[in-house]
Amino acid sequence: MTDFDLNDFLPYQLAAAAARVSRAFAERYRAEFGISIPEWRVLVHLNHAGAVSVREIHARVDMDKSKVSRAAQRLVDAGYVEKRGHAGDRRLVDLRLTAEGHALVGRILPIAATFQAELLATLGEDGMPLKRALTRIMEGK
Amino acid sequence: MTDFDLNDFLPYQLAAAAARVSRAFAERYRAEFGISIPEWRVLVHLNHAGAVSVREIHARVDMDKSKVSRAAQRLVDAGYVEKRGHAGDRRLVDLRLTAEGHALVGRILPIAATFQAELLATLGEDGMPLKRALTRIMEGK
DNA sequence: CCAATATCGTTGCATTTGCAATGAAGTCAA
DNA sequence: TTGACTTCATTGCAAATGCAACGATATTGG
């Protein structure tokens, strides 16, 4: 008990590995496309889900709603996203990709797919159990 | 390609799972002991390694050296850590646990061990491949 | 020996973050 | 209908973060 190595502690291992992977991935598109991780998440979710609200993204993508709101606003300023009032419920804001936003996502997605494929390749047969374990952690909430 | 679900993207899964686990674990000791994650990491590493420098912790524990420096200073102010000049190289600072620091670590470590055991129990047979995969991610770099 | 260079811990600063509060809009029950 | 309550997105603010710069100390090459 008196000897306890942080590097064998699962919460630390998870945090450190996640930080490393995120940094590596972020480098690939920050320089080229100028977007941050929160912005990347919003873009991808909009591409996947169409016109959705801040609340929806917040619920699906593990981001505080203020984080979503600010990331979305930066994307609006950059011309990748447009904001409309929701028909029927005027509290909601519909976010959707602009043509430029679609084009940007189209350029980034192949990079993301390649990145993930390379990562899985280095993990070999542990890749799928890793994904299962992460999914279980997210489900067991 | 046009359909790409963030929830199947490994970097996102890692980040989200890590954030969830860290939040859950941090709740267990923040209320009771009043320490943050960076402070927890410094405490555990000092317990494991004895008297070490800021640089050493920075290298071993995936934290920016300014983050280590500030966490260490908070722990000094709280009475858990003491700072001494290193004999021989006066650029270095030796950080070491005080008696209170050792007592605090002694109370937290069982909680950490229990937390990890519960987490591994929910993961079942995917637990070990998960650890292997995370270790490989940390090595490969 | 000494001048250039490197390393260490701290600090300044701009940015990001989480949380709470706000105002606007919707819901519901009396 | 109205008044209390809920939900939504944004914003204010304090704290945390990453990065670069700094002063102090060590090391190294000539």
Side-chain angles (χ1 to χ4, degrees):
Chain A
M1 182 62 73
T2 186
D3 197 357
F4 181 100
D5 187 349
L6 203 51
N7 286 284
D8 282 335
F9 185 53
L10 187 50
Y12 170 73
Q13 293 177 297
L14 263 174
R20 172 153 309 184
V21 169
S22 284
R23 277 194 296 263
F25 180 54
E27 276 176 18
R28 287 222 187 170
Y29 56 75
R30 178 167 47 201
E32 192 166 353
F33 304 107
I35 63 171
S36 67
I37 287 180
E39 291 155 20
W40 147 259
R41 290 188 185 176
V42 169
L43 285 174
V44 171
H45 190 71
L46 289 180
N47 181 70
H48 180 66
V52 292
S53 66
V54 170
R55 180 72 180 164
E56 163 77 8
I57 300 175
H58 158 67
R60 299 255 176 223
V61 152
D62 192 50
M63 287 168 65
D64 187 83
K65 58 182 180 165
S66 66
K67 208 173 175 180
V68 175
S69 177
R70 292 191 248 245
Q73 188 55 51
R74 287 192 295 266
L75 291 169
V76 168
D77 294 343
Y80 298 128
V81 165
E82 86 184 335
K83 233 185 266 196
R84 301 187 190 176
H86 184 89
D89 188 338
R90 286 181 305 178
R91 292 171 305 178
L92 300 180
V93 173
D94 277 351
L95 300 172
R96 67 178 64 219
L97 294 179
T98 62
E100 290 85 359
H102 272 111
L104 178 65
V105 171
R107 291 203 300 281
I108 299 183
L109 284 191
I111 297 176
T114 299
F115 185 86
Q116 178 175 234
E118 290 172 358
L119 187 53
L120 285 172
T122 73
L123 297 179
E125 63 183 7
D126 289 332
M128 282 307 118
L130 170 65
K131 281 203 151 206
R132 272 202 306 276
L134 297 176
T135 300
R136 173 131 3 148
I137 289 171
M138 293 308 288
E139 287 169 350
K141 147 70 195 307
Chain B
M1 182 61 74
T2 185
D3 197 359
F4 182 99
D5 187 350
L6 203 51
N7 287 284
D8 282 335
F9 185 54
L10 187 49
Y12 169 74
Q13 293 178 299
L14 263 174
R20 172 154 306 181
V21 169
S22 284
R23 276 194 297 261
F25 180 54
E27 276 177 17
R28 287 221 186 170
Y29 55 74
R30 172 180 316 233
E32 192 165 353
F33 304 107
I35 63 170
S36 68
I37 288 180
E39 292 156 21
W40 148 260
R41 290 188 185 175
V42 169
L43 285 174
V44 171
H45 190 71
L46 290 180
N47 181 71
H48 179 67
V52 292
S53 66
V54 169
R55 180 72 181 163
E56 162 77 9
I57 300 176
H58 158 68
R60 299 254 176 221
V61 152
D62 192 48
M63 288 168 63
D64 187 82
K65 60 181 179 167
S66 66
K67 207 172 174 180
V68 175
S69 177
R70 292 191 246 243
Q73 188 55 50
R74 286 191 296 265
L75 291 169
V76 168
D77 294 342
Y80 296 127
V81 165
E82 86 185 335
K83 233 184 266 195
R84 302 184 189 178
H86 184 88
D89 188 338
R90 285 182 305 177
R91 292 171 304 180
L92 301 181
V93 172
D94 278 350
L95 301 171
R96 66 178 64 220
L97 293 180
T98 62
E100 289 85 359
H102 272 110
L104 177 64
V105 171
R107 290 203 301 282
I108 300 182
L109 284 191
I111 296 176
T114 299
F115 184 86
Q116 178 175 234
E118 289 172 358
L119 187 53
L120 285 172
T122 73
L123 297 179
E125 62 183 8
D126 289 332
M128 282 308 118
L130 170 65
K131 280 202 152 210
R132 273 202 306 275
L134 297 176
T135 300
R136 171 126 9 141
I137 289 172
M138 293 309 289
E139 287 168 349
K141 184 341 201 3

